[in-house]
């Protein structure tokens, strides 16, 4: 038998997050924690999607602070700049450039059907700008520039990933294999975290009741207090069941963090009340978030070091992005 020396190339993953404030425990357990884990298996690229953020009006100083903040948080969570490419979208001009090209291969009709566009047009009726409309073409550029095999996205972004695939296929049909057509990445165990106050609704940082959500940067006392106040039901047993949305949610959270199964959790709390259980979940979440908050505070206090990371990330991203952009420009007929 002959030995093979070829190393198997890792599959590529890309995803982005908008700088729209501190993510919740739901964002963490549902998405960000998976990003961290994916670094072992995949060649990962993660970006702060700040170009997307200005499709709705932003306060400049606040936006800048939120960009720093989410970038620092990505690092604090365990995204590793040595293994993954971590950058800020607006610092890699190829995104805007490819976005223009792709928008000429995207139909007015298909963008009009995007549910997020319809929703945001309704909620920002005084500012239905062209950027809001063209948003999916920019997102397609974000993705296709890096030729990823997989794109982890939540349910709300599935339609945008679908159109990115359609655009890639359309472009490839005209010009040959320019873009990898990416697949959605469905995590093996992605927790869907519900509001602590209304467990039939998804946990959201735009919840007017701050007790409904836990922010990744909430301090220990706040986390525990919010879990102590979590809405449950009139039964007493800690187990998964119908009509027990609140308890089911707490079990899901506890399971996502500890890795324990529902059965193990039910056994652990046999004979104990909801009060004990809520306290235990609160303490477990607080323990998990504490090191993230500590690391975040160090990173955000040192803007110089942060800058070293994001500049390096942008350079690495641009090397890849430039290649794809040039390929697309050539195919279209531009002079390089
Ligand atoms: N639109 C996504 C959101 O609002 C963020 C995003 C921008 C994104 N570009 C992307 C996600 C590319 C995945 C891939 O959540």
């Amino acid at each position: 038998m002959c030995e093979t020396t070829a190393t198997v190339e890792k599959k590529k993953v890309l995803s982005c997050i908008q700088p729209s404030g501190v993510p919740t425990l739901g964002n963490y357990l549902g998405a960000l924690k998976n990003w961290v884990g994916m670094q072992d298996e995949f060649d990962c690229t993660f970006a702060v999607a700040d170009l997307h953020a200005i499709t709705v009006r932003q306060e400049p100083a606040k936006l800048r602070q939120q960009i720093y903040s989410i970038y620092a948080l990505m690092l604090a969570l365990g995204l590793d700049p040595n293994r993954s490419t971590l950058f800020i979208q607006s610092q890699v001009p190829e995104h805007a450039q490819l976005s223009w090209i792709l928008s000429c291969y995207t139909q007015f009709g298909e963008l009009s059907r995007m549910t997020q566009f319809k929703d945001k047009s309704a909620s920002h009726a005084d500012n239905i700008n062209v950027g809001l409309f063209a948003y999916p073409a920019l997102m397609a550029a974000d993705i296709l520039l890096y030729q990823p095999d997989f794109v982890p996205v939540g349910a709300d972004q599935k339609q945008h990933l679908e159109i990115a695939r359609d655009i890639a296929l359309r472009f490839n049909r005209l010009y040959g294999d320019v873009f990898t057509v990416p697949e959605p990445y469905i995590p093996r165990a992605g927790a869907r975290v519900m509001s602590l106050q209304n467990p039939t609704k998804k946990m959201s940082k735009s919840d007017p009741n701050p007790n409904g959500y836990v922010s990744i940067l909430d301090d220990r006392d706040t986390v525990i207090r919010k879990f102590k106040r979590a809405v449950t039901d009139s039964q007493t047993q800690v187990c998964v069941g119908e009509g027990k949305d609140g308890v089911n949610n707490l079990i899901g959270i506890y399971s996502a963090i500890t890795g324990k199964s529902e059965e193990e959790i039910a056994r652990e709390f046999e004979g104990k009340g909801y009060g004990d259980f809520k306290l235990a979940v609160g303490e477990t979440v607080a323990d998990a978030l504490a090191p993230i908050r500590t690391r975040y505070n160090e990173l955000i206090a040192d803007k110089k070091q942060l800058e070293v990371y994001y500049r390096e990330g942008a350079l690495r991203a641009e090397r890849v992005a430039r290649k794809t952009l040039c390929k697309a420009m050539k195919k279209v007929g531009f002079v390089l």
Side-chain angles (χ1 to χ4, degrees):
M1 292 290 281
C2 48
E3 270 183 52
T4 164
T5 51
T7 52
V8 184
E9 263 202 32
K10 282 184 177 172
K11 296 262 187 200
K12 297 194 194 90
V13 160
L14 172 129
S15 199
C16 306
I17 184 166
Q18 286 209 37
S20 53
V22 181
T24 66
L25 178 69
N27 304 127
Y28 177 56
L29 296 179
L32 297 167
K33 195 163 178 271
N34 292 317
W35 289 13
V36 176
M38 270 185 264
Q39 295 179 112
D40 299 330
E41 199 178 335
F42 301 105
D43 174 1
C44 295
T45 303
F46 298 115
V48 176
D50 56 346
L51 295 175
H52 281 87
I54 64 164
T55 54
V56 297
R57 205 57 75 222
Q58 299 282 346
E59 218 244 282
K62 187 170 165 216
L63 176 62
R64 188 169 300 117
Q65 193 275 327
Q66 288 185 340
I67 294 168
Y68 280 129
S69 171
I70 197 80
Y71 191 88
L73 192 60
M74 281 164 55
L75 294 169
L77 288 170
L79 295 180
D80 175 358
N82 294 315
R83 286 191 289 164
S84 303
T85 301
L86 311 174
F87 71 101
I88 299 171
Q89 182 190 30
S90 64
Q91 299 187 340
V92 180
E94 284 77 2
H95 289 251
Q97 291 173 280
L98 184 64
S99 168
W100 172 255
I101 296 178
L102 296 183
S103 69
C104 299
Y105 296 80
T106 308
Q107 298 304 303
F108 184 90
E110 55 188 345
L111 290 183
S112 310
R113 285 192 291 276
M114 294 290 112
T115 54
Q116 184 177 293
F117 173 68
K118 291 192 240 175
D119 292 348
K120 287 206 179 174
S121 307
S123 58
H124 301 273
D126 57 337
N127 183 22
I128 307 177
N129 61 75
V130 176
L132 188 65
F133 187 68
Y135 179 119
L138 176 60
M139 180 157 157
D142 298 341
I143 297 169
L144 301 179
L145 279 172
Y146 301 93
Q147 312 277 11
D149 300 284
F150 300 109
V151 179
V153 286
D156 64 322
Q157 295 297 319
K158 278 253 176 71
Q159 199 181 26
H160 290 161
L161 180 56
E162 204 48 54
I163 197 171
R165 286 169 49 88
D166 291 343
I167 296 168
L169 286 166
R170 191 173 302 155
F171 203 91
N172 286 352
R173 216 175 297 124
L174 286 166
Y175 302 113
D177 270 344
V178 179
F179 300 122
T180 302
V181 182
E183 300 288 333
Y185 181 87
I186 316 289
R188 255 162 269 149
R192 184 173 154 82
V193 178
M194 312 305 281
S195 161
L196 299 183
Q197 291 297 313
N198 180 358
T200 57
K201 268 186 21 196
K202 210 178 122 184
M203 180 178 284
S204 161
K205 60 176 164 270
S206 50
D207 191 331
N209 180 354
N211 288 323
Y213 64 92
V214 170
S215 146
I216 298 189
L217 296 176
D218 275 347
D219 63 39
R220 183 175 185 83
D221 289 350
T222 306
V223 172
I224 291 174
R225 180 170 42 78
K226 286 178 179 177
F227 275 98
K228 276 189 184 162
R229 291 190 186 167
V231 168
T232 49
D233 54 66
S234 56
Q235 301 177 27
T236 54
Q237 218 177 326
V238 176
C239 63
V240 171
E242 257 185 60
K244 295 169 70 103
D245 296 321
V247 170
N248 294 347
N249 186 37
L250 295 174
I251 290 176
I253 293 168
Y254 192 65
S255 166
I257 294 186
T258 60
K260 291 176 187 168
S261 69
E262 291 170 359
E263 295 72 32
E264 284 174 290
I265 296 168
R267 239 176 288 129
E268 183 178 345
F269 291 95
E270 216 173 330
K272 293 193 184 147
Y274 284 171
D276 290 337
F277 178 53
K278 291 199 279 187
L279 181 62
V281 180
E283 286 177 337
T284 303
V285 172
D287 288 344
L289 297 183
I292 296 171
R293 195 157 49 90
T294 305
R295 181 80 184 111
Y296 170 84
N297 287 334
E298 290 165 9
L299 285 157
I300 203 71
D302 189 351
K303 292 269 164 60
K304 278 273 162 295
Q305 181 56 45
L306 207 54
E307 182 174 357
V308 171
Y309 287 128
Y310 63 70
R311 293 248 175 267
E312 174 60 26
L315 283 176
R316 267 168 68 168
E318 189 160 23
R319 277 199 288 275
V320 180
R322 178 127 290 270
K323 250 195 217 159
T324 308
L325 177 69
C326 285
K327 209 161 144 191
M329 287 176 72
K330 216 186 210 160
K331 294 288 187 185
V332 167
F334 291 151
V335 177
L336 295 187

